[in-house]
Amino acid sequence: MKALTTATLIAAMLAMSPALALAQETASPVGLWKNIDDVTGKPKALIRISEHNGEIQGKLEKLFRPEGTDQNPKCTKCEGANKDQPMLGLTFMSGLKKEGDEYTGGQILDPDNGKVYKSKLKVVDGGKKLNVRGYMGMPMFGRSQVWVREE
């Protein structure tokens, strides 16, 4: 009886291994995310997050804009190299590096106002959501959004 119980436990652990590996794999922010506006609660954009040389960056892949408006506006309020560049394809998040269970030390551009903020993010809910925070100075002086992973 004891051998049967041990064998059952081992079989259960082996069956859970792929699920555990998948959970760990999805703990990365790399992938496609739907940005949910923290003011309206409506989808605002699709963002492709990638990793290059250990740093996370994000590009705008699709905008959810009202019908009859420019579907690929330019970043008119941006400064420097991003000034008047199309928003689609714009790298607006960069420099984030893994630190514990968060990604910190980066910056995020708000194309609506052209301002660049410090940024941090954390993958939550088994890799299904991403908490994104933009701030000035200290993290408590900023705003957060929850992004949802697109399957």
Side-chain angles (χ1 to χ4, degrees):
M1 184 70 172
K2 190 174 184 178
L4 181 60
T5 302
T6 303
T8 303
L9 279 173
I10 291 171
M13 289 172 60
L14 289 174
M16 287 178 21
S17 292
L20 290 173
L22 180 61
Q24 288 174 348
E25 181 180 307
T26 58
S28 166
V30 172
L32 187 62
W33 296 89
K34 186 183 291 182
N35 165 321
I36 307 298
D37 189 287
D38 55 317
V39 176
T40 66
K42 294 181 179 178
K44 194 170 182 177
L46 287 180
I47 294 130
R48 175 75 57 190
I49 295 182
S50 57
E51 184 176 346
H52 299 280
N53 299 322
E55 290 189 1
I56 297 297
Q57 68 178 30
K59 287 186 178 189
L60 289 170
E61 195 163 286
K62 179 179 179 174
L63 298 173
F64 297 104
R65 296 179 50 90
E67 212 173 289
T69 63
D70 187 356
Q71 296 301 305
N72 187 14
K74 294 188 176 182
C75 196
T76 57
K77 295 184 179 179
C78 292
E79 296 179 1
N82 290 329
K83 177 76 174 158
D84 294 324
Q85 294 300 308
M87 285 193 195
L88 292 180
L90 181 71
T91 298
F92 74 101
M93 181 171 51
S94 62
L96 292 147
K97 293 182 180 178
K98 188 161 179 63
E99 186 177 306
D101 64 348
E102 293 185 324
Y103 291 80
T104 62
Q107 61 183 23
I108 190 165
L109 164 71
D110 183 342
D112 291 335
N113 65 22
K115 293 183 180 178
V116 178
Y117 301 93
K118 291 181 180 180
S119 182
K120 68 178 193 169
L121 52 90
K122 183 177 182 179
V123 181
V124 295
D125 198 14
K128 295 178 185 175
K129 294 182 180 177
L130 189 64
N131 289 339
V132 180
R133 184 137 183 98
Y135 58 95
M136 295 181 82
M138 297 173 39
M140 68 178 159
F141 301 116
R143 64 185 245 220
S144 296
Q145 290 183 338
V146 176
W147 297 358
V148 179
R149 189 180 294 273
E150 285 289 290
E151 300 293 329

